[in-house]
Amino acid sequence: MCGIVGLHLRDDTLQPRLGALLRGMLHQVSERGPDSAGIAVYGDDTLAPQGQATVALLGTTVAEAQAAVKGVTAVERGGVVLLSAAIPTALLASQVRAALPHALIAGRGPGLAVLKGVGHPMAVADRFGLDSITGYQAVAHTRMATESAVTPEGCHPFSVEDGVCLVHNGSFANHATIRRELIGDGVTFDSDNDSEVGARFLAHRLSRGDDVEKALRLLCERFDGFYTLLVSTADSFAVVRDAVACKPALIAETDRWVAMASEYRALAALPGIETARVFEPQPEEVYSWTR
């Protein structure tokens, strides 16, 4: 079933409240995905210092990471280690893979912090200190596993390209076929999760010069199944549903924010919701907003 929520802030005065607002939204979709949860946050300087590359790591500790990768700063939130350095993200990720081959890079990009783990979504949110998180944009996911095991590697969001995150409600029927095609093109995978195939497909298209909207339209052409996707980058926030659109989704928009959720109750407590334009995204239409 799974639950998706996301918040894209237009009003900078709301940035100190980003984590608290997202926590309230996450709470309302917790029962849709009790297995695990994950959050991607843009613009929290404590987690991802401005002007630096950041990678989120599973399977290591702050002490081990700092000893293995020189010249980085590190913080830990709920079992996730966030390493930052004033170098390109690709170089930092390469250094991490060489020095910590057993650790999983769960997210990467300037200004981006990805936090995810197994457990009830609100327990996971508390481990991450979600209430105190700030920033200008965030997406979150609560997972009910159907296609792969309940592991930290299988949690959403999937962030496999700089600053790009994908969260998914549904399942891709032909993910194994597309996985084989991507592997043939040199793409590597970290899990057997079908959603990772969608994330890797998007990253592959972006690397070939497509923008997010075009990449999502191509995904709709290539992927079979039922899905609602929320995709974020450092400067954009996009939603798309499959041709049948059986997976629930609502979008609310005001001059202060844009929000997306699997259910209206996750939107109901947002400031100004009473005057928001609230609508259901149409099948295979890409909706996107930029900063």
Side-chain angles (χ1 to χ4, degrees), residues 6-28:
L7 189 56
H8 171 88
L9 298 181
R10 292 167 160 168
D11 182 352
D12 290 347
T13 66
L14 290 174
Q15 291 190 19
R17 299 175 57 192
L18 177 67
L21 292 171
L22 193 74
R23 190 183 193 282
M25 298 174 73
L26 194 69
H27 174 70
Q28 296 298 332

Side-chain angles (χ1 to χ4, degrees), residues 74-152:
V75 296
E76 185 270 341
R77 285 289 183 99
V80 180
V81 175
L82 298 161
L83 290 188
S84 299
I87 59 175
T89 307
L91 178 57
L92 178 58
S94 176
Q95 291 178 356
V96 168
R97 289 193 185 97
L100 299 165
H102 58 283
L104 171 69
I105 297 179
R108 49 181 282 181
L112 170 64
V114 174
L115 305 169
K116 55 186 185 178
V118 172
H120 187 276
M122 300 321 296
V124 174
D126 288 343
R127 293 204 305 266
F128 294 152
L130 182 54
D131 276 342
S132 66
I133 285 175
T134 64
Y136 63 85
Q137 180 173 270
V139 300
H141 185 269
T142 65
R143 185 175 182 227
M144 180 177 287
T146 57
E147 296 293 329
S148 60
V150 179
T151 64

